[in-house]
Amino acid sequence: MTELIIATGNAGKLREIRAILPEYKVLSQKEAGVNIEVEETGTTFAENALLKARAIFEATGKPTVADDSGLVVDALDGAPGIYSARYAGEDATDEERNQKLLEELSDVPDEQRTARFVCVIAYVDEQGREYTFEGKCEGIIAHAPEGPNGFGYDPLFFSPDHGVTFGVLAPEIKNQVSHRSAALKLFRKFLDK
């Protein structure tokens, strides 16, 4: 079974990646003995994903996967974007980030609340070669959080295709349609070649 090191400490991301790539032995960077925090100094999702993948690959010498993902809201000119995790401050909770987003969109009508989740998966193979894979998922920002599932902005991200927020959507359904799923499917297709 191929072993992949995942450059994350985010339990939600790790759970999703394991569910989407069940045929691989997926280890978090902590499980691989690496306890470093990579500073995300890139200006795009791809740059930040590659920064994380390179750093963990250098520490382990093993094939490494990293993702950078976030919410892109059209009415906010793409914000929170690459700053999605830090949108309400460094140590803000998911609830605080969601509240800030709702405040920013308080006067925005429904037809202008379009958004997408974007995920870029970066992969550094055992030879140090680098690859990226991008997935997107279109939606609308709801007026209030709904649902106990998922993490991050999921309770506010309404999927027109499913008629509910990602916070309501069953995890096994979300794992088939999410931005991370789309990027990981491209990655898996690449690995299968």
Side-chain angles (χ1 to χ4, degrees):
M1 181 179 270
T2 306
E3 188 174 275
L4 297 172
I5 310 301
I6 309 298
T8 190
N10 183 314
K13 283 184 184 181
L14 196 59
R15 208 171 26 255
E16 282 186 8
I17 292 169
R18 284 182 170 141
I20 295 166
L21 298 175
E23 65 274 30
Y24 294 91
K25 182 177 182 184
V26 173
L27 297 176
S28 70
Q29 65 184 57
K30 187 177 179 183
E31 291 167 331
V34 179
N35 196 14
I36 58 173
E37 188 74 31
V38 180
E39 195 174 343
E40 296 180 19
T41 56
T43 58
T44 65
F45 292 116
E47 287 175 10
N48 283 334
L50 281 166
L51 284 169
K52 292 184 272 190
R54 283 182 197 129
I56 304 307
F57 172 76
E58 286 171 17
T60 64
K62 294 183 178 178
T64 301
V65 176
D67 97 323
D68 197 44
S69 55
L71 181 65
V72 174
V73 180
D74 295 319
L76 300 178
D77 296 322
I82 62 169
Y83 304 105
S84 292
R86 301 177 297 282
Y87 189 50
E90 279 299 320
D91 298 317
T93 64
D94 286 348
E95 291 78 19
E96 290 166 335
R97 285 187 285 275
N98 284 326
Q99 189 57 46
K100 178 175 171 70
L101 182 62
L102 287 174
E103 288 167 9
E104 298 277 331
L105 294 174
S106 63
D107 296 331
V108 177
D110 289 354
E111 64 274 7
Q112 293 175 22
R113 295 172 80 92
T114 53
R116 70 210 43 81
F117 273 130
V118 177
C119 174
V120 174
I121 297 289
Y123 175 58
V124 180
D125 71 11
E126 47 280 318
Q127 280 81 46
R129 293 174 297 211
E130 300 175 349
Y131 306 88
T132 59
F133 309 88
E134 183 179 87
K136 293 181 181 178
C137 185
E138 299 291 330
I140 298 164
I141 303 303
H143 289 274
E146 189 178 352
N149 297 330
F151 61 97
Y153 298 97
D154 286 351
L156 288 179
F157 189 79
F158 181 84
S159 168
D161 292 341
H162 295 88
V164 295
T165 68
F166 270 18
V168 172
L169 209 58
E172 56 275 9
I173 304 292
K174 181 190 168 198
N175 287 344
Q176 293 171 15
V177 300
S178 74
H179 54 308
R180 189 165 294 108
S181 170
L184 284 168
K185 284 174 184 167
L186 292 173
F187 172 56
R188 187 168 57 197
K189 200 177 287 187
F190 166 80
L191 286 180
D192 290 345
K193 285 183 183 174

